[in-house]
Amino acid sequence: MSGQRDLPGNGPGVQTDPELPTVQEQLIVFARELGELYRLERSRNAELEMVLESLQDTYLATMKSLATVIEAKDQTTRGHLDRTQVFGLALARRVDPELARSPTLGYGFFLHDIGKVGIPEHILCKAGPLSVDEWTVMRNHPIIGAQIVAPIAFLSDTVELIRHHHEWFDGTGYPDGLASEAIPLGARVFAVADSFDAMTSDRPYRGSIGAERALAELKGGAGTQFDPAIVRVFVDMVESDPPKDDEEFQHAIKHAS
């Protein structure tokens, strides 16, 4: 038949489709266009990731600045945020390595008191004991902190830690009266680290009680204020098996001693 040829290797009677070369060319062009679109999308995604990382860095810088401003109002708490972050991360690695691998856990430890930005300065910096009314105001700082951090999507994992770091294991803490394992693990870990540093730091109303006595206080509060299993891990970490390759931990322990 005029204008048609047999396909090679297919024997006589098998004829080519006259539109096949055009279809092949169109597929090749389509494949090239898909490749180019994929390349452009990869490039666009990379640019978007860079923008997102920049925004995250900006958010974190703002939050850290606020936290540092709060800490700076009371000269006796200088370094508290850094040390509690160090103690908290070291303890988390012993208690639950998967928890410690969370990229935002350390941010939660550092930002735990960010809500104090909403507490009047005359209460926040009062040298003596707080009155009942003042204490009621102060107890709102975990709620305020959670509200500040909640809109920041990449810090969403830290909201519960910030809200619940003053809950007690026996359910008598605040703001929600959670008990036992209903308290998020990160908050239970942090409560031990935070209290240890608070007890081993000078405050306007008392001096440091020292590491040995602070550990005894943690043991005494196990089962009431603190998760007893986490207290055991922390005491062992300080007394018997400190992380020797963690220079920041070693420096923080020297401050406590």
Side-chain angles (χ1 to χ4, degrees), residues 83-91 193 196-197 234 237 249 252-253 256:
R83 290 191 302 272
T84 51
Q85 184 183 52
V86 168
F87 287 141
L89 287 174
L91 180 56
F196 178 78
D197 185 72
F234 186 78
M237 183 173 67
F249 181 87
I253 283 294

Side-chain angles (χ1 to χ4, degrees), residues 28-222:
I28 292 171
V29 170
F30 182 58
R32 287 174 179 168
E33 290 176 347
L34 282 179
E36 180 64 13
L37 286 172
Y38 178 74
R39 186 190 67 79
L40 291 173
E41 185 65 19
R42 288 289 299 273
S43 176
R44 180 171 175 270
N45 285 343
E47 291 175 359
L48 288 174
E49 288 177 4
M50 291 177 62
V51 171
L52 179 59
E53 289 178 4
S54 178
L55 286 172
Q56 289 179 350
D57 290 343
T58 301
Y59 275 129
L60 282 175
T62 302
M63 294 295 100
K64 287 183 176 181
S65 294
L66 281 173
T68 304
V69 165
I70 295 165
E71 185 181 54
K73 288 183 178 181
D74 185 352
Q75 295 296 318
T76 63
T77 63
R78 187 174 296 277
H80 172 69
L81 297 180
D82 290 323
R83 290 191 302 272
T84 51
Q85 184 183 52
V86 168
F87 287 141
L89 287 174
L91 180 56
R93 285 191 284 268
R94 297 290 180 93
V95 171
D96 187 338
E98 184 175 350
L99 172 68
R101 282 192 290 269
S102 167
T104 58
L105 183 68
Y107 299 145
F109 290 163
F110 191 87
L111 299 173
H112 69 281
D113 273 345
I114 190 71
K116 287 182 177 179
V117 73
I119 304 300
E121 191 165 346
H122 73 275
I123 296 177
L124 187 64
C125 302
K126 186 175 180 178
L130 300 180
S131 68
V132 173
D133 289 341
E134 290 170 338
W135 184 239
T136 299
V137 174
M138 179 65 84
R139 284 162 63 105
N140 285 325
H141 80 267
I143 299 172
I144 297 170
Q147 290 171 342
I148 290 171
V149 174
I152 306 174
F154 74 98
L155 290 178
S156 60
D157 290 345
T158 70
V159 174
E160 286 191 338
L161 187 156
I162 291 170
R163 183 180 179 94
H164 299 301
H165 71 278
H166 280 298
E167 304 285 1
W168 280 34
F169 196 72
D170 65 0
T172 61
Y174 63 92
D176 298 316
L178 300 184
S180 187
E181 294 185 0
I183 305 170
L185 178 58
R188 281 180 277 146
V189 166
F190 182 75
V192 173
D194 183 40
S195 294
F196 178 78
D197 185 72
M199 288 187 286
T200 55
S201 299
D202 292 327
R203 295 295 169 89
Y205 46 88
R206 59 143 180 83
S208 166
I209 67 174
E212 184 176 351
R213 185 177 164 192
L215 292 175
E217 291 287 332
L218 290 177
K219 293 176 187 176

